[in-house]
Amino acid sequence: MSTTERPRILVVGGGYVGLYAARRILKKMRYSEATVTVVDPRSYMTYQPFLPEAAAGSISPRHVVVPLRRVLPRAEVLTGRVTEIDQDRKVAMVAPLVGDAYEIPFDYLIVALGAVSRTFPIPGLAENGIGMKGVEEAIGLRNHVLEQLDKADSTTDEAIRRKALTFVFVGGGFAGAETIGEVEDLARDATKYYPSISREDMRFVLVDVADRILPEVGPKLGEWGREHLAARGIEIHLGTSLKSCVDGHVVLSNDLEMDAGTLVWTAGVKPNPVLARYGLPLGPRGHVDVDPTLQVKGTGHIWAAGDNAQVPNLVKGEGDWCPPNAQHALRQAKVLGDNVISAMRGFPQKQYKHANKGAVAGLGLRKGVAMIRLGKLNIRLRGRLAWYMHRTYHGMAVPTWNRKIRVFADWTLGLFLKREVVSLGAMENPREEFYEAARPPVAASAGRAPAPRDAKSPAGGERKKADAKVG
């Protein structure tokens, strides 16, 4: 970390809001006007709408993430967590990946921590659930699904086989519906290479506590999406919640029980819990309470936006808040960046006001739904045309032309080349084979020693990743 005598704009979080706000500020301000410092546990931003396609292998995982240092060459990028903020002294406590924590002063602060998965104290969920908030989880889900097919193909035990081929997804919003659609496509394609497995042998189950799926696109398209998924053999249980999943034994509130080798949890998000340690005014659900200018209420030098902020929706009127989606986050980030520059220069700030332009969702290859708002006109699309709309919109929305070109190249190659269905599950514990070869013979004769906890093993690194997400 470099030191500077210039004013410092500290950006806590390198996701949608953090990245786009920092880019906006760097673009608008003079070179020596201030120092922009971005702190995040990861050195990259994840474009989350592409996670279902990354899980299905339609996009390379490397093309779903945007390196912060490459996109923000004029900013300081610190890989760590901001654990505390002292507003009176204007300092933040930064805990790096290694080494002791240290203080960093700031003059202006942007809180852009985003959200984490919203979970409940359901027995077995922490041990068996797979989230879909990061690219690591998307890669892990892909490897896991293909490993289940490997297990089923290599065993003669019918109970083990049935469990391996049962996939349960909890949450029927965009994340859940898109993920189950993409993963079902992946598994269906993969059966071509498993002579003993057919699509009829697999069981896909979608569970949601609400009475419909895809609420973001409205009831008509949501019903079409439900019918479409059901026609593909996916069981859908609405008005239903998960009661327990101990040892993979799934119990639903409608008394349905099954053994499942895969449980994917996409039942909503919540603001990052670390916000409670920052001393900021919070709303009833834990979001930072901000004015329409995105400035934190009661402060003159702190702004917040995106999933961790309670932003007034001026289009719908008093008492309504902007939904936590990428469409609002990207636009809020630009207004926030402009307002920080205005505050630095003593100019008035502008309010954030944006009417929802609609929503698009992919449900697998050449399948999707889209609701586009043009003024007072709502255009509803479904099937192949909606899928093209989905890919076009998100292909152009992903940051930097470098990533846009790579993503479109992946899609173009996918038109001519078959989907890869190889599992790289050994990546979760890459040192295990070397450890077995290198450990002392005495330990080998005494019995099998425990495998090392690798940086990516569930017992070691995944817990650190979870901590990093919270902090």
Side-chain angles (χ1 to χ4, degrees):
M1 181 189 70
S2 64
T3 58
T4 178
E5 305 238 344
R6 296 177 289 178
R8 172 179 273 116
I9 303 170
L10 177 61
V11 183
V12 182
Y16 289 110
V17 172
L19 172 65
Y20 278 93
R23 288 184 74 189
R24 187 78 168 187
I25 293 169
L26 291 169
K27 179 181 178 181
K28 291 291 187 79
M29 78 176 187
R30 295 183 293 273
Y31 183 76
S32 59
E33 193 170 359
T35 296
V36 176
T37 302
V38 181
V39 182
D40 194 274
R42 293 176 174 81
S43 60
Y44 54 84
M45 182 271 263
T46 302
Y47 191 73
Q48 293 181 355
F50 282 159
L51 291 181
E53 291 203 49
S58 298
I59 300 177
S60 170
R62 292 176 297 128
H63 303 161
V64 177
V65 298
V66 181
L68 296 177
R69 288 183 173 84
R70 181 170 182 172
V71 179
L72 304 171
R74 291 169 48 201
E76 293 179 341
V77 177
L78 307 179
T79 306
R81 295 173 289 149
V82 173
T83 57
E84 297 178 14
I85 292 176
D86 189 328
Q87 297 183 47
D88 296 329
R89 296 171 53 220
K90 287 190 176 181
V91 296
M93 182 65 70
V94 177
L97 293 183
V98 294
D100 297 330
Y102 55 86
E103 290 185 345
I104 180 172
F106 63 84
D107 298 275
Y108 306 95
L109 178 66
I110 297 173
V111 180
L113 285 174
V116 299
S117 295
R118 181 185 62 191
T119 59
F120 302 97
I122 299 173
L125 178 59
E127 295 78 11
N128 298 287
I130 302 173
M132 277 295 285
K133 284 290 292 176
V135 67
E136 304 90 347
E137 292 168 320
I139 298 170
L141 175 59
R142 172 181 168 79
N143 289 330
H144 177 81
V145 168
L146 294 175
E147 282 179 353
Q148 299 308 300
L149 299 185
D150 289 338
K151 288 181 181 179
D153 187 55
S154 61
T155 184
T156 57
D157 189 311
E158 188 57 33
I160 295 177
R161 177 183 169 89
R162 190 183 307 111
K163 180 177 180 178
L165 296 179
T166 300
F167 308 89
V168 177
F169 292 71
V170 181
F174 266 8
E178 287 188 307
T179 303
I180 196 172
E182 293 285 355
V183 170
E184 193 273 341
D185 256 0
L186 167 67
R188 185 187 294 269
D189 284 351
T191 59
K192 301 173 185 176
Y193 308 99
Y194 292 89
S196 69
I197 301 176
S198 67
R199 174 59 182 89
E200 289 70 29
D201 296 324
M202 296 184 287
R203 184 181 187 184
F204 282 85
V205 180
L206 178 62
V207 179
D208 197 289
V209 72
D211 59 356
R212 58 190 174 99
I213 68 170
L214 294 170
E216 300 90 342
V217 295
K220 290 184 178 180
L221 287 178
E223 178 60 21
W224 183 88
R226 186 196 65 79
E227 293 174 353
H228 168 78
L229 294 177
R232 289 163 60 179
I234 297 174
E235 298 178 35
I236 301 177
H237 299 274
L238 301 179
T240 305
S241 60
L242 176 68
K243 292 178 64 177
S244 70
C245 52
V246 177
D247 296 328
H249 183 70
V250 174
V251 180
L252 305 180
S253 61
N254 61 0
D255 296 328
L256 181 65
E257 299 187 25
M258 69 197 82
D259 288 328
T262 304
L263 176 67
V264 181
W265 180 270
T266 61
V269 296
K270 64 181 180 181
N272 198 311
V274 78
L275 291 171
R277 302 205 299 265
Y278 286 0
L280 302 173
L282 302 180
R285 295 179 297 168
H287 300 78
V288 180
D289 198 7
V290 302
D291 293 320
T293 60
L294 305 177
Q295 198 162 43
V296 176
K297 289 188 175 181
T299 71
H301 60 283
I302 306 177
W303 292 260
D307 292 358
N308 69 183
Q310 183 175 274
V311 181
N313 190 342
L314 299 183
V315 174
K316 293 192 175 181
E318 186 176 353
D320 198 89
W321 314 103
C322 295
N325 58 36
Q327 182 180 158
H328 279 288
L330 299 181
R331 288 167 173 81
Q332 289 170 8
K334 294 180 181 179
V335 174
L336 188 155
D338 290 344
N339 284 347
V340 172
I341 295 292
S342 296
M344 289 174 55
R345 298 174 180 172
F347 298 137
Q349 302 182 38
K350 60 182 179 181
Q351 297 182 336
Y352 174 76
K353 185 176 182 180
H354 170 69
N356 192 354
K357 299 299 183 183
V360 291
L363 299 175
L365 286 175
R366 295 175 290 279
K367 301 172 281 284
V369 292
M371 192 269 291
I372 312 299
R373 288 198 174 111
L374 297 176
K376 295 183 179 180
L377 181 64
N378 289 339
I379 301 175
R380 297 180 179 87
L381 304 173
R382 60 191 190 187
R384 187 183 293 261
L385 185 57
W387 178 74
Y388 284 132
M389 182 71 71
H390 160 76
R391 282 200 162 182
T392 300
Y393 173 80
H394 286 299
M396 295 307 298
V398 67
T400 79
W401 280 102
N402 180 301
R403 284 299 177 269
K404 296 182 202 296
I405 293 172
R406 291 178 185 273
V407 167
F408 279 105
D410 284 344
W411 286 338
T412 302
L413 289 173
L415 297 175
F416 305 100
L417 304 177
K418 294 182 179 180
R419 192 199 308 254
E420 292 286 353
V421 294
V422 61
S423 169
L424 298 177
M427 292 175 62
E428 303 297 323
N429 198 5
R431 291 188 57 246
E432 182 172 8
E433 185 174 348
F434 179 82
Y435 176 77
E436 289 297 322
R439 66 192 176 109
V442 175
S445 63
R448 183 179 177 84
R453 291 187 175 185
D454 285 305
K456 293 185 179 180
S457 69
E462 288 300 323
R463 185 174 294 117
K464 293 179 182 177
K465 287 180 188 174
D467 293 340
K469 286 182 182 178
V470 171

